[in-house]
Every structure is written in C-alpha cells, then in structure tokens.
Amino acid sequence: MQVLRNSEHYGVSNLEQITNVKKSRYNIWKKYNDRYLMINTNSNAIVFLSEDEFKSFKRIKVLSTDFNKKLFDLGIIVLKNFDEVEEIKENIRRSSVSSQNADIFTIYPTQKCNANCQYCFEKNEEKIEMSAKIEQGVIKYLCQNIDIEHKTIIRWFGGEPLLASNVIDNVSKQLKTAGYYFEAMITTNAIMLNPTLIKKAKDDWNIVSVHLTIDGYREVHSKRKGIAKLDEYEKLLANIKCLLDNKITVVCRINLDKNNEDQLGFIISDLKRFSSEKNLLVDIVPLRGEGKEYFSESEYGEVYANAHEKLYTANLIHNICDVIPKRLHENCVACVNNSVVINARGNLFKCVLHSTDEGNSLGTIYTGIIKRNEIWFNTMLSEKCEQCKLLPICFGGCKEFANNSSSMGVPCRKIKYHLEESMNQIYRYYGREGN
C-alpha cells in the first residue's frame, strides 16, 4: 500500500481484532494497469493498492490483520454500525446553528465600482455608497452583535470597497476603540492598492487576507475589467508581492473562459516568482454564463487538468493530491446563523449573490434579522445528494444555485466534473511504485 494523503481518522489500537467492519460508502477507485488509485472523500485519504491488496479490501469483514487496521485508520473501512451519511448530516445541522470558526460580518462600504468586469453579478445593481448615518448604524449593530467569546471576522465586499476606505477606517477605528478584537479580509479589484494602503490595511484595518482576481495576461486583464490603464496587470503583480511581504494571505482567483484560456500559462509563469510563499493561494475558476465563450461542465475535466498541470509544474500546487478537495467541516457562510451580509443601505442578507436585491432582505441594522428565509437553514438533503460519493466535500452544494436556476451555475462543486481527470493526474505523478 502506498499512502499519498493520510486521513483525519484516529488509530484503532483500542479495537478488538474481531470488530465487525464494512467498506466506506465514500470510496472512489480507478484501476491503472495492476494498481488501484483509491480516494475516500470522507476521510481525505488517497492511496494506491496493489491487485492483491484490492482483493483483500473487497473481502474485508473484520479487523483481523494489520492491513485491515491500516485501511480502518485511513477511513476506507469503517465500523459496521457506523452511519456515515448521518454523521455528515449532523455536521450540516450543527454548522447551520453556529459556525465553529467565527462570527462573520460581510460589509459593503459601497456598491459603487471603478471597474466594469464583464462577469460581475452586480453589474446592473444600484451604485450607492454607505452614508455617515448608515455607517454609525453599522458600528452600533456590530457592537451589539459581536460575541467577545467568539472570534470575529469582518469581510469587506462591494462594489469596490476601497472606494470607501473612509468607511473602513471609521468602522475599524471605532471597533478597536470600543475594545473589540477582530480579523478582517477584503475582496478587491486591487486597482487602488499601493504600499501605503497595504500597510494601513494591515495595521489599522486588521486585514489578514486579500481576495483578488486576474482576468487575463497583461493588457487583456485591463480590458476585461474595463480599466483604461493597460499597465494594471504589472501593478497587480507588484501589489501581490507587497501583500505577501507584509504577511497578508493572498487568494488569487484566475478567471477563465475560452477567450483567455490560452493566456493561463503566461499568467502562471508570472506568478511562479511567488511559489515559495505559503500565503499565496491560486484558484482557477471557469466563468459561468450563457454563450459560446463559456465552458460547459463536460469541458471542465480538460480545463482543470491543464490548469493543475501548469500550477504543479510552477510549484504553485505543492502536492498534486491537493487537486482533490478535502472534506468540509463547515457550511457555506450564507447557511449559518452567526453570519450576516450588510449592504450599503444597512439592510441585512445571507448571501452576497443577492445582497443588493432589497426583496431578499431579512431585516436592517436597526431591526436585526426579522425574517428567516428557510432556503439558508434547510438542512434537508435531496436523495441524489445523500447517495453522492462527493457529499463530504460538497454538503449538498450551493443553496442559491439550487433554489434559483440560472446561467450562473449548478449547485454541485466543480470537482464533480473533473474528478476523473484529477485522479489521472495523481496517477501520472505517483503511479509507479516507489514514487
């Protein structure tokens, strides 16, 4: 047995040899020559089994050998009376009541933007900036709702939040003055970033991570964002370096469609200079929509195989097994009680995908949440989801997409469409004994 990625399960030293066991329902395997690549989506384990080992695995009924015990450690076999689906459903129910990680407040200091990204879901929404009155109301709401026993995370969103840096300044300063500790992250197009503002973001706003996007190579990046300055791409790379130098995590999302997919190699080549940085996370995202320029689900396998190959070669993926996502422990932040979105009008929502649609508001900063939309708190799974082997890394998928069918996408995670290609990639790198 060759273990490529270990599990989150514990050892079995306290179990009797005769313990009855069964095969996990979340095993997925594929045969390559005389070996089997097996992943378990519930335990995160990824292993190679020889032909003989696979035959032994198929016959297992009790923990009678060291090999069997190792498979138990890996979550590939489980106790016979253990209900794996019910455990996951209980995790979903628990997480919906309260996120264990933190109380999360997503705030729009403005709904205005200084870019014109073609894919933006807020393109036709009202462009307003948070007023001084609403700003003070937000501060009061936060002070009333922050639980000092919990970690607090503030996510600055928009619009382009840096257009209202004064709001971020005032809210951050008054929370600190009131004695509240919080960490913050920001989603930005990075146009207004510079070394001075990055230092302020770290020191004054408690920013620990920045989410930004790359939309093409060099001038294509600017054109697809609707930016007049064609040197914005080079400026973005300089800002990424400055953020990393300041120990701020950078989540860099590369947006792809058929019009810019041929530029991915050039972009990754430019990002390769940051490959030693542990705080850089590169995410490949095929854009969704209607039109010939968008990839279909059937094309995702090839798209991700190509992208992952380039990222791994550039050392921007440090372990090829990471192309298989690990199991979830928390719901989407839209589906937990202790998370809320506050737009520039001071209205409250659960999901950023419709946080400027006042018809979906659940309340205001003055009333608190007075409506409960069961879309976000319904923990029931469809029969199809319950039977799916990807349930541990999906939790039933996106509630917004599941309840509002649109060209934006389907509820399932994209791994569903590139799983086989990702397994093939792992085989290519680890397939020979001894690799």
Side-chain angles (χ1 to χ4, degrees):
M1 184 192 312
Q2 182 184 2
V3 179
L4 307 182
R5 188 166 79 186
N6 245 312
S7 73
E8 296 181 356
H9 285 230
Y10 296 99
V12 295
S13 58
N14 62 331
L15 293 175
E16 298 292 337
Q17 294 260 61
I18 59 171
T19 301
N20 291 327
V21 292
K22 62 183 178 183
K23 300 168 193 67
S24 169
R25 68 184 296 152
Y26 296 112
N27 293 324
I28 301 172
W29 62 77
K30 185 177 180 182
K31 186 177 183 181
Y32 297 90
N33 298 322
D34 60 346
R35 307 181 76 198
Y36 290 82
L37 177 62
M38 181 177 292
I39 68 174
N40 185 282
T41 58
N42 198 32
S43 72
N44 297 329
I46 303 177
V47 302
F48 272 117
L49 298 179
S50 68
E51 190 86 55
D52 288 342
E53 288 170 333
F54 186 77
K55 289 178 181 177
S56 296
F57 154 74
K58 295 290 282 185
R59 294 193 299 264
I60 287 174
K61 292 184 178 180
V62 294
L63 291 178
S64 56
T65 67
D66 288 341
F67 172 71
N68 295 359
K69 290 183 178 181
K70 182 60 178 175
L71 291 183
F72 186 92
D73 277 346
L74 292 166
I76 292 170
I77 59 175
V78 297
L79 295 176
K80 190 172 184 178
N81 61 356
F82 177 51
D83 190 332
E84 294 177 279
V85 177
E86 187 55 38
E87 181 205 37
I88 294 168
K89 290 165 72 174
E90 177 55 32
N91 286 340
I92 294 172
R93 288 191 291 267
R94 172 197 51 76
S95 179
S96 71
V97 174
S98 178
S99 168
Q100 288 185 328
N101 291 331
D103 295 335
I104 303 170
F105 301 90
T106 301
I107 306 173
Y108 285 56
T110 181
Q111 289 164 209
K112 296 179 180 179
C113 191
N114 53 351
N116 187 27
C117 302
Q118 62 188 47
Y119 51 82
C120 183
F121 62 86
E122 297 176 18
K123 208 167 188 177
N124 300 315
E125 303 297 344
E126 186 181 19
K127 312 301 182 188
I128 61 168
E129 186 170 322
M130 186 175 287
S131 68
K133 178 182 178 181
I134 297 296
E135 175 191 302
Q136 290 304 308
V138 168
I139 294 169
K140 184 176 180 181
Y141 176 85
L142 293 173
C143 290
Q144 290 173 340
N145 287 276
I146 288 177
D147 186 339
I148 60 173
E149 299 296 323
H150 292 181
K151 180 179 179 180
T152 298
I153 293 176
I154 294 178
R155 302 194 311 168
W156 296 105
F157 205 76
E160 170 48 50
L162 293 180
L163 286 173
S165 59
N166 60 308
V167 176
I168 303 176
D169 262 338
N170 294 338
V171 173
S172 301
K173 182 178 180 180
Q174 292 196 44
L175 286 179
K176 286 184 174 183
T177 300
Y180 293 104
Y181 175 77
F182 60 93
E183 290 182 355
M185 55 186 66
I186 188 168
T187 298
T188 173
N189 58 34
I191 294 172
M192 298 181 69
L193 277 182
N194 58 58
T196 301
L197 189 57
I198 288 170
K199 188 176 188 308
K200 171 188 274 289
K202 179 182 179 181
D203 296 343
D204 297 348
W205 303 346
N206 293 3
I207 295 289
V208 296
S209 71
V210 173
H211 295 235
L212 46 82
T213 62
I214 296 179
D215 291 285
Y217 184 61
R218 296 188 180 276
E219 66 273 7
V220 175
H221 169 76
S222 295
K223 289 178 180 178
R224 286 168 69 96
K225 282 193 171 298
I227 306 169
K229 294 181 179 179
L230 297 183
D231 64 345
E232 200 60 44
Y233 177 88
E234 287 76 11
K235 180 184 169 188
L236 177 62
L237 293 176
N239 280 323
I240 290 174
K241 181 181 186 304
C242 187
L243 288 163
L244 294 170
D245 288 346
N246 279 275
K247 310 302 180 187
I248 295 173
T249 294
V250 176
V251 180
C252 180
R253 166 176 162 158
I254 303 176
N255 291 322
L256 289 183
D257 60 24
K258 294 180 180 180
N259 291 331
N260 71 347
E261 62 173 324
D262 59 337
Q263 300 170 24
L264 179 62
F266 299 111
I267 297 169
I268 290 176
S269 180
D270 282 341
L271 292 175
K272 185 178 179 179
R273 72 190 73 172
F274 307 121
S275 61
S276 62
E277 297 283 353
K278 294 181 179 180
N279 286 350
L280 174 66
L281 305 173
V282 181
D283 189 19
I284 304 296
V285 179
L287 294 172
R288 308 194 210 201
E290 297 175 348
K292 294 181 179 180
E293 70 270 28
Y294 298 106
F295 298 108
S296 66
E297 283 85 1
S298 64
E299 294 173 302
Y300 283 170
E302 183 178 349
V303 172
Y304 276 99
N306 176 53
H308 290 154
E309 185 78 21
K310 288 178 169 59
L311 289 170
Y312 187 67
T313 301
N315 205 30
L316 291 167
I317 294 178
H318 301 292
N319 185 337
I320 196 64
C321 290
D322 290 340
V323 300
I324 306 293
K326 293 185 177 181
R327 64 172 290 177
L328 295 177
H329 294 281
E330 297 282 332
N331 288 336
C332 166
V333 293
C335 302
V336 298
N337 270 332
N338 55 335
S339 173
V340 68
V341 178
I342 307 171
N343 75 2
R345 287 192 177 279
N347 291 323
L348 307 181
F349 302 84
K350 294 302 294 181
C351 176
V352 297
L353 286 179
H354 53 59
S355 52
T356 54
D357 177 3
E358 305 304 336
N360 284 295
S361 173
L362 304 181
T364 74
I365 52 175
Y366 306 112
T367 65
I369 292 179
I370 55 176
K371 292 192 294 184
R372 182 180 171 92
N373 190 330
E374 290 303 322
I375 287 176
W376 309 113
F377 303 108
N378 181 3
T379 59
M380 297 291 292
L381 295 170
S382 68
E383 182 179 352
K384 186 176 181 180
C385 287
E386 283 200 19
Q387 297 300 318
C388 182
K389 289 182 179 291
L390 298 178
L391 179 61
I393 58 178
C394 179
F395 273 19
C398 175
K399 293 288 184 70
E400 170 66 16
F401 290 162
N403 287 281
N404 296 293
S405 177
S406 73
S407 62
M408 287 289 288
V410 296
C412 303
R413 290 188 68 179
K414 293 187 178 76
I415 181 62
K416 174 179 178 178
Y417 307 102
H418 67 85
L419 176 63
E420 184 172 359
E421 284 295 336
S422 294
M423 292 180 73
N424 291 343
Q425 282 187 296
I426 293 173
Y427 171 72
R428 285 196 290 272
Y429 282 96
Y430 289 105
R432 289 174 297 183
E433 194 75 51
N435 277 11

